[in-house]
Amino acid sequence: MRIGYLLVAVFFSVAVQASESDEYFPEQLTAQKLLYACASSSLTAVGRESRRYCQGFVSGVEETERLLRGELSGAPALICLPHGKNAAFYADIFIKHASRKGADLEQPAVRVVMEALEQAFRCK
């Protein structure tokens, strides 16, 4: 009987973890949810993990844009990022952009991150 309870507990734990992680799939992630992650408190382990997720997400969008527009396709890049900046710097660019009045945070996070990077670092 104990094994049955253990299996139920393990199944429930896995199901809860799966449902919690569903919100982070890019096709489901809104700019609002990403902004919450980016602006999480660095005083807690969960907050620090959320901030790292945000930084990785923004960095992934930047990397994808750079590779698809410039290096792989030969098309002119839309964004020209300054050298020597880290993912936290670019996440701050997103936070400032998404926090401005009138920002449409119901849009997909990818779209709003691109808007932020294009506005801040448009190639000339």
Side-chain angles (χ1 to χ4, degrees):
M1 195 61 147
R2 285 184 180 165
I3 292 176
Y5 288 125
L6 180 61
L7 289 174
V8 169
V10 168
F11 176 76
F12 181 73
S13 174
V14 169
V16 167
Q17 289 175 356
S19 69
E20 288 174 354
S21 67
D22 286 346
E23 68 186 59
Y24 291 114
F25 288 125
E27 65 271 12
Q28 298 175 355
L29 187 65
T30 64
Q32 181 69 54
K33 288 182 180 180
L34 183 61
L35 182 58
Y36 286 150
C38 293
S40 295
S41 172
S42 61
L43 299 177
T44 66
V46 172
R48 288 187 297 275
E49 183 178 321
S50 293
R51 290 173 77 128
R52 283 191 300 272
Y53 173 81
C54 164
Q55 293 168 5
F57 188 93
V58 172
S59 182
V61 171
E62 174 274 319
E63 179 87 4
T64 301
E65 169 63 22
R66 186 169 43 80
L67 286 173
L68 291 179
R69 295 275 177 153
E71 294 178 20
L72 295 180
S73 71
L78 291 178
I79 55 175
C80 294
L81 301 172
H83 295 286
K85 302 295 183 185
N86 61 21
F89 173 81
Y90 296 117
D92 286 342
I93 297 296
F94 165 74
I95 291 170
K96 289 174 187 163
H97 179 81
S99 298
R100 78 189 195 313
K101 186 175 180 175
D104 185 0
L105 299 180
E106 294 305 313
Q107 292 288 321
V110 171
R111 179 174 291 151
V112 179
V113 169
M114 280 305 305
E115 289 172 2
L117 294 176
E118 286 176 16
Q119 187 177 58
F121 306 109
R122 182 168 296 277
C123 295
K124 298 180 189 261

